[in-house]
Amino acid sequence: MNNNELFDRADKYAAKKTAADLIQALAHSDLKPQILSALRQLSPNDQIVFLNCYNRKKKNRDWAQMFAVFAVHYAYLRRPLTQLIFFMTAGGVGIWYLYDLFTVQDKVEMENDFFALEALDAAKGL
């Protein structure tokens, strides 16, 4: 067996391993079914691009909940103007603060959906 055949075999093994890792990552993701179905139509390389873009930007729900306790969750979600208004109104005199403690998980999910669509466009090359 010459070196070229050996390198081809190694590339095929690496591609299979990467595809298997990709499938595993998608199976445990919190992506919406519409995004998953659009993602399955992409080539494996484009799927890897998607995962890299999405994982780089997505927000963690646990971190957001912790930041909500300390009233800096809008800064974590990249909404500085909303964070400023939140501080200026003292969290809506506490009412907005209490509401956000219970809804921050939904805010993170909406933000991650936006990032998933953005990553999907980047993977498609739009």
Side-chain angles (χ1 to χ4, degrees), residues 6-47:
L6 190 61
F7 287 130
D8 288 342
R9 274 186 157 181
D11 286 343
K12 286 180 184 177
Y13 174 74
K16 285 181 184 177
K17 188 172 190 266
T18 304
D21 292 342
L22 179 65
I23 291 169
Q24 189 75 350
L26 290 177
H28 293 97
S29 70
D30 56 349
L31 297 173
K32 292 196 175 208
Q34 300 89 347
I35 295 171
L36 283 174
S37 65
L39 190 55
R40 286 188 187 108
Q41 296 173 359
L42 297 176
S43 70
N45 288 338
D46 290 342
Q47 290 175 351

Side-chain angles (χ1 to χ4, degrees), residues 33-105:
Q34 300 89 347
I35 295 171
L36 283 174
S37 65
L39 190 55
R40 286 188 187 108
Q41 296 173 359
L42 297 176
S43 70
N45 288 338
D46 290 342
Q47 290 175 351
I48 292 170
V49 169
F50 168 83
L51 277 179
N52 288 337
C53 290
Y54 178 67
N55 287 334
R56 205 171 336 123
K57 290 187 174 185
K58 77 176 183 176
K59 299 297 179 183
N60 187 317
R61 292 178 180 197
D62 297 332
W63 280 103
Q65 190 69 51
M66 184 189 71
F67 287 133
V69 170
F70 296 106
V72 291
H73 52 291
Y74 286 111
Y76 177 67
L77 295 174
R78 298 181 188 177
R79 297 183 190 165
L81 183 61
T82 307
Q83 185 67 56
L84 181 66
I85 294 169
F86 187 84
F87 280 150
M88 290 174 60
T89 62
V93 192
I95 296 169
W96 187 8
Y97 172 75
L98 288 175
Y99 176 77
D100 279 354
L101 283 177
F102 295 102
T103 61
V104 71
Q105 302 288 325

